[in-house]
Amino acid sequence: MIRIKLFILFCLVLLGGSKYPPGSPVLQVPEKDFFKMEGVTVTHLLENSKDSLSDNKVIELQDQNGLTVWFGRYFFKDICTTGICRMVRLWIFWDGTGHYLGIQLDENDPLTKSDHTPFGLQDYTRLDEIMADTVSILKDLRYEDLTVEQKVDKEEKGIFEVDGYSSATAPSLKEYVVDDAVFTCYTLWHTVYGETKAYIDDLLKERINPGYIEHLMNGDSNQQLFALENIRQQNKYFPEFESRILDFITSENKDIAEKGISLITPEYLTDLKKQPRFVGLIKDARPAVKYEIIYKMQLVDDVSPDAIILLLDLFYAGDISQGALNHIFRIIEKQMATDKSIRENKSIQKRLEKLASQPDPYISRLTRNFIENTSWLD
């Protein structure tokens, strides 16, 4: 999604001409405008900022529940190369979980490339992707790593002030930056992940309490993920939100489901009473999560007969794929080694016999082999 607001087309019409070189792209004006979002604004003062040029205020937009819609800060950034600098003025926004959300530019001040042509719409889309990449290659590079020296004709030297004519973008970086804008990408990426984000992260940490987590869990997917991550970091909140966490494991959202199940530890599953509900989540879970539930049960030293019976029933009902049957047998075999009563459990035996008589040759053969190898009927 394009998150940058530009008014270049309006400016060109208003001025009756263009200040950009011939052939510059005419940009569409994206509809996204962060300042048109509804909410209550709160101003935070960023004290002792190392960025003396930029505004030291962080603006926060909150919704009616007090949850953050976005944080924003207005920046003045010098982007320099070969001794010549130009000033970039823009807003950068982070969402309510501290992740990059987008940028918004002054109406008359678009980002430009090496020959002063403005960014095209695709350039802004690519820039957005680069800024959202938390592990970008730009993270560990120095300014001097961005370009390689390139010979320039004497007549041309000095015409282009920035980004790759007197020095060219390092070939290894081309796929990670906007064409002819490596210094812009580098400077903005480090701005996105600099002191302002650190301040926002600290601000959000201070707000974490049961009430705030509850609001987050009722929010959008990013807020729900943020709630789950904070519970992972502070396990003391797990008991209060246990039921909601289990519900999240069956979410259709892949990230939420995976984050939810990551909170289920072997220690949690030592409680035999909790195992059946956890296993029962298989019925509504995504395929990958179904396997993860079974894998977690394999790590448990003491699995209840009720959980084993439920696993077999879910398989028989078609809620578990054929490939997982062998994992279920491993769970049973592991329990047989420590709990002799498992072999005597008539409900488990009945279900094994039922699977052994299945018309599907794979299921019946695998079950009969398990029964024979474990001497179940001896």
Side-chain angles (χ1 to χ4, degrees):
M1 179 178 65
I2 300 168
R3 306 180 175 102
I4 308 101
K5 180 183 178 185
L6 298 171
F7 294 89
I8 298 174
L9 187 59
F10 166 79
C11 296
L12 293 178
V13 173
L14 181 65
L15 296 173
S18 173
K19 64 179 180 179
Y20 303 114
S24 299
V26 177
L27 303 182
Q28 300 176 17
V29 181
E31 297 178 359
K32 189 77 170 181
D33 186 344
F34 292 100
F35 295 106
K36 287 185 178 180
M37 296 182 180
E38 295 183 356
V40 177
T41 57
V42 180
T43 301
H44 306 276
L45 185 62
L46 184 58
E47 298 179 351
N48 303 317
S49 172
K50 296 179 181 179
D51 187 350
S52 59
L53 293 177
S54 302
D55 194 337
N56 67 346
K57 293 187 291 294
V58 175
I59 308 300
E60 178 184 7
L61 184 70
Q62 296 181 351
D63 66 15
Q64 59 184 1
N65 295 316
L67 294 180
T68 304
V69 178
W70 52 249
F71 292 98
R73 185 182 178 189
Y74 190 61
F75 289 93
F76 293 82
K77 303 302 295 185
D78 269 333
I79 297 179
C80 306
T81 184
T82 62
I84 300 175
C85 300
R86 61 183 170 88
M87 180 69 72
V88 171
R89 303 169 181 83
L90 79 167
W91 281 88
I92 296 180
F93 295 90
W94 296 260
D95 67 15
T97 65
H99 292 92
Y100 169 76
L101 185 60
I103 69 174
Q104 190 161 312
L105 298 161
D106 285 356
E107 298 178 5
N108 301 316
D109 207 3
L111 297 179
T112 58
K113 296 189 173 187
S114 57
D115 58 355
H116 303 295
T117 58
F119 271 40
L121 194 57
Q122 290 184 344
D123 296 322
Y124 282 111
T125 301
R126 179 66 183 126
L127 179 67
D128 215 28
E129 295 170 350
I130 294 167
M131 296 301 103
D133 183 3
T134 59
V135 293
S136 169
I137 193 174
L138 300 172
K139 178 179 180 179
D140 298 318
L141 296 178
R142 299 168 300 173
Y143 219 66
E144 55 267 32
D145 298 327
L146 304 179
T147 59
V148 293
E149 291 299 323
Q150 177 175 283
K151 291 183 179 181
V152 179
D153 292 340
K154 185 175 182 180
E155 295 78 9
E156 296 181 2
K157 192 172 184 179
I159 294 177
F160 304 107
E161 297 177 352
V162 294
D163 282 339
Y165 275 78
S166 58
S167 56
T169 300
S172 59
L173 296 179
K174 285 186 177 295
E175 64 179 293
Y176 301 105
V177 297
V178 174
D179 287 345
D180 296 331
V182 62
F183 288 101
T184 297
C185 294
Y186 180 86
T187 302
L188 294 184
W189 190 93
H190 281 273
T191 302
V192 168
Y193 296 97
E195 64 173 14
T196 311
K197 175 171 169 50
Y199 174 80
I200 291 170
D201 289 343
D202 289 341
L203 196 64
L204 291 171
K205 286 179 183 178
E206 293 174 1
R207 297 177 181 178
I208 297 301
N209 58 47
Y212 194 71
I213 291 176
E214 180 68 32
H215 283 310
L216 288 170
M217 285 190 161
N218 293 326
D220 61 28
S221 59
N222 286 334
Q223 291 167 332
Q224 291 169 350
L225 284 168
F226 188 55
L228 292 171
E229 175 59 24
N230 277 279
I231 294 173
R232 187 191 67 80
Q233 294 178 12
Q234 302 185 59
N235 193 252
K236 63 182 180 181
Y237 295 122
F238 183 95
E240 184 169 349
F241 297 100
E242 176 183 341
S243 182
R244 293 293 304 276
I245 292 168
L246 292 175
D247 289 341
F248 280 135
I249 291 174
T250 61
S251 171
E252 294 182 359
N253 183 302
K254 174 178 176 291
D255 295 330
I256 290 176
E258 291 178 352
K259 180 66 73 173
I261 199 169
S262 72
L263 271 60
I264 304 301
T265 64
E267 290 73 23
Y268 172 79
L269 293 173
T270 57
D271 187 337
L272 300 184
K273 295 179 181 179
K274 296 183 183 298
Q275 293 176 6
R277 182 180 178 186
F278 178 65
V279 169
L281 297 174
I282 287 175
K283 183 175 180 62
D284 299 313
R286 295 167 54 87
V289 175
K290 292 176 187 282
Y291 271 98
E292 187 63 26
I293 291 172
I294 295 172
Y295 292 152
K296 283 185 177 289
M297 291 304 298
Q298 283 187 255
L299 299 175
V300 179
D301 291 330
D302 188 7
V303 178
S304 71
D306 288 342
I308 292 174
I309 291 169
L310 184 54
L311 281 168
L312 292 170
D313 286 346
L314 287 168
F315 178 82
Y316 191 81
D319 293 311
I320 300 176
S321 67
Q322 287 189 1
L325 181 57
N326 202 35
H327 294 286
I328 296 174
F329 287 159
R330 289 175 186 172
I331 292 173
I332 299 174
E333 187 173 8
K334 180 179 179 181
Q335 296 311 302
M336 290 173 62
T338 58
D339 183 1
K340 303 303 181 183
S341 66
I342 291 291
R343 190 190 302 274
E344 300 169 1
N345 190 295
K346 298 300 182 182
S347 295
I348 296 177
Q349 180 176 327
K350 179 180 178 181
R351 284 160 175 78
L352 289 175
E353 292 173 347
K354 192 175 181 180
L355 289 174
S357 62
Q358 277 285 296
D360 185 292
Y362 172 79
I363 295 174
S364 59
R365 183 173 63 253
L366 187 63
T367 305
R368 288 196 300 270
N369 288 340
F370 171 73
I371 291 173
E372 292 173 5
N373 293 335
T374 57
S375 302
W376 184 275
L377 300 179
D378 290 352

